[in-house]
């Protein structure tokens, strides 16, 4: 596939069932993309990539199944649609979820095991500077809110950033990107730009 030149506009969906989808829509629009909320299966056919926001993965899971959007999202991921998940969104694209509630499901696609609420109930949120080589300098100011960590990664997965203790908090596997933290609330648009570059290079809808 040749991919779409950067000048051709792309449309990115943001799964808008629960969580901080408005923030993602704003960042994507500020970068020149057309960004649309996605709540129904039909809306998936009109997008070149999908962002799954932070929020609560158990709720996003339940609502996505209730709205009939879970299966179509799984199929789109399997077909190669670029997806970026932040925090709960990372949990939703993980193949394996540790400390899930009973019956909790994910869309999967990303060959990792993530642990929910990995920093314990004492640590609701914290912020650190993270070195992320794919984004260059300066380091990313990363905000973690009841965040998961990536505990195991498959052969095809690249760790993009780790905490000082070595725990992985940003990953990529082909068109799937995930971060434990929330770039959509810090004003640092580099991660969304990185994702958009991936979307533009993919020609998913053609
Ligand atoms: N702890 C939440 C979950 O399990 C994720 C928190 C977040 O997205 N900020 O889904």
């Amino acid at each position: 596939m040749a991919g779409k030149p950067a000048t051709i506009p792309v449309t990115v969906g943001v799964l808008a069932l629960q969580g901080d989808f408005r923030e993602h829509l704003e960042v994507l629009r500020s970068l020149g993309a057309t960004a649309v909320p996605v709540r129904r299966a039909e809306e998936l056919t009109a997008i070149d990539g999908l962002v799954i926001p932070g929020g609560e993965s158990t709720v996003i899971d339940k609502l996505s199944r209730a709205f009939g959007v879970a299966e179509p999202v799984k199929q789109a991921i399997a077909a190669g649609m670029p997806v970026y998940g932040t925090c709960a969104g990372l949990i939703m694209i993980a193949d394996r979820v540790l400390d899930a509630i009973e019956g909790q499901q994910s869309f999967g696609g990303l060959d990792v095991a993530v642990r929910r609420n990995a920093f314990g109930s004492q640590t609701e949120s914290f912020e650190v500077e993270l070195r992320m080589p794919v984004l260059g300098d300066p380091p990313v100011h990363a905000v973690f809110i009841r965040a998961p960590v990536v505990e195991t990664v498959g052969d095809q997965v690249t760790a993009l950033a780790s905490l000082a203790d070595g725990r992985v908090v940003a990953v990529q596997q082909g068109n799937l990107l995930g971060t434990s933290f929330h770039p959509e609330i810090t004003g640092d648009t580099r991660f969304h730009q990185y994702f958009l570059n991936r979307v533009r290079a993919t020609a998913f809808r053609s």
Side-chain angles (χ1 to χ4, degrees), residues 25-104:
L25 289 165
E26 273 172 32
V27 177
L28 291 162
R29 286 169 187 157
S30 80
L31 294 171
T34 300
V36 294
V38 168
R39 297 186 181 88
R40 292 176 303 138
E42 309 84 84
E43 291 162 340
L44 288 169
T45 58
I47 59 175
D48 301 296
L50 180 69
V51 171
I52 305 177
E56 176 48 57
S57 58
T58 56
V59 177
I60 296 173
D61 166 39
K62 283 197 187 119
L63 291 177
S64 65
R65 284 189 276 149
F67 284 30
V69 85
E71 265 317 307
V73 168
K74 282 187 206 174
Q75 283 164 18
I77 291 172
M81 179 175 68
V83 179
Y84 172 30
T86 59
C87 203
L90 164 62
I91 295 168
M92 290 306 302
I93 58 172
D95 279 347
R96 294 170 296 284
V97 181
L98 308 174
D99 289 340
I101 65 166
E102 198 180 332
Q104 181 173 355

